[in-house]
Amino acid sequence: MVGQMCGKTSGYSLIFFTRLTVMRTLVTGGAGFIGSHLADALLARGDEVTLVDNFSSGRRENIESAVTNGAEVIEGDIVDKVFVEETLQAVRPQTLFHLAAQGEVRRSIEEPSFDATVNVVGTVNVIEASKNIGLDRFVFASTGGAIYGEGSRIDLPAVESAPLAPLCPYGQSKLVGEQYLELYRRMYMFNSVALRFANVYGPRQNPKGEAGAVAIFGELLLAGENPVVFGDGTQTRDFIYIDDLIDAILTASRNDVEGPVNLGTGDETSLLELLDSLRDAGNSLNGSGPPDSASFEPSFASARTGEVKRIAISPARAAEELGWNPTTPLGKGLGHTLEALRARTPG
Ligand SMILES: NC(=O)c1ccc[n+]([C@@H]2O[C@H](COP(=O)([O-])OP(=O)(O)OC[C@H]3O[C@@H](n4cnc5c(N)ncnc54)[C@H](O)[C@@H]3O)[C@@H](O)[C@H]2O)c1
């Protein structure tokens, strides 16, 4: 019906119609690993996209394709309330994806007030400015890996109603972000969803960061170096491939589900199993494989404070509410990630 209307209208009406249907979206943390993939996907679906980032861990090379495809980039800090207010008043997005964060567990333990400043105060700034412009939909990047706390004490994979008991300030600050969204829902009927991401991996993840085991181990594998595992390597995580995650985020942004939704596979993979799968993926790389990938053997260091022994999160609510299920097997996702890492490695 809509298509027919388009066909019969004049050129002027067609432009008017197009403008009405184009969605204005804003991504905080848009130059980061996940934010830059989200930006590409939003542009591909035809949105007008603005990226806000202070480039503390984000990289300009991540957003080269987004910029080429028309994304607007605004450099600034979400901790700066005036900057956030003015930016949202000027851009007036309909949907906002809030991904900017201090994302490192270890740094959150060493500098809890910095973590709270970015992840709580910064998040409140973004929520308040969003409420002030009458935003339609707020999509929050929460954590499934750090919000439940130690998975050994609950049934795994964890469901959203499981008790929340973070073991590090990072998990706590994300929980507070979720609670602010609930508060704003009660106070202002503010519409939001809190997506609890599992351990996300894929191209563009920073191997120099602390958070991405796959990127860190993948880079070592390609360099022919052996990995150091903190703990005995039997600790488990739920690894979700970036393309699957982005599909879910896009669906959640156009859906009316509210509250927390896990985005994970529900599968526990130990770090030792991850290393085996990486070694296999390295051996299957096209062309010249990585040097000595067969001898990719870990050494062990003391387990780190604040890191849980076991976690995996159930995708059942996401399946029911979003019709989403992750489809990328670990081996395939690791293969894509290694190919991208190899393409970036000089020489
Ligand atoms: N990667 C994962 O496995 C994972 C898991 C759970 C949750 N998350 C959440 O997803 C989001 C994105 O994570 P990512 O892996 O892409 O991390 P990332 O570090 O690559 O991206 C975060 C982005 O936010 C920007 N940023 C940080 N502080 C800022 C500030 N004060 N003002 C403006 N911009 C700021 C950084 O420069 C960066 O571009 C984060 O909120 C993170 O907590 C990630």
Side-chain angles (χ1 to χ4, degrees), residues 174-256:
K174 288 289 182 179
L175 170 54
V176 173
E178 287 196 10
Q179 290 173 332
Y180 264 93
L181 289 175
E182 282 169 31
L183 174 70
Y184 271 59
R185 185 174 311 129
R186 288 194 297 273
M187 288 176 71
Y188 307 112
M189 293 176 64
F190 186 71
N191 181 294
S192 68
V193 63
L195 301 176
R196 294 181 178 164
F197 302 166
N199 274 62
V200 191
Y201 71 98
R204 294 187 193 155
Q205 189 162 32
N206 190 352
K208 306 291 176 230
E210 174 238 327
V214 170
I216 295 165
F217 292 152
E219 192 174 68
L220 291 171
L221 177 84
L222 292 177
E225 291 172 29
N226 286 322
V228 177
V229 167
F230 295 95
D232 63 7
T234 60
Q235 64 267 47
T236 60
R237 297 290 181 266
D238 182 338
F239 293 100
I240 179 89
Y241 188 60
I242 184 74
D243 289 359
D244 287 339
L245 183 91
I246 296 296
D247 282 348
I249 300 176
L250 291 183
T251 307
S253 72
R254 290 203 146 153
N255 181 291
D256 57 6

Side-chain angles (χ1 to χ4, degrees), residues 138-154:
F138 189 100
V139 181
F140 178 50
S142 185
T143 170
I147 207 164
Y148 295 103
E150 180 48 61
S152 313
R153 49 175 259 296
I154 54 176

Side-chain angles (χ1 to χ4, degrees), residues 29 31-35 53-58 76-79 99-101 103 118 141-143 170 174 197-200 205:
F33 161 47
I34 299 171
D53 207 293
N54 70 352
F55 293 92
S56 53
S57 60
D77 197 314
I78 57 162
V79 175
L99 275 67
V118 179
S142 185
T143 170
Y170 167 71
K174 288 289 182 179
F197 302 166
N199 274 62
V200 191
Q205 189 162 32

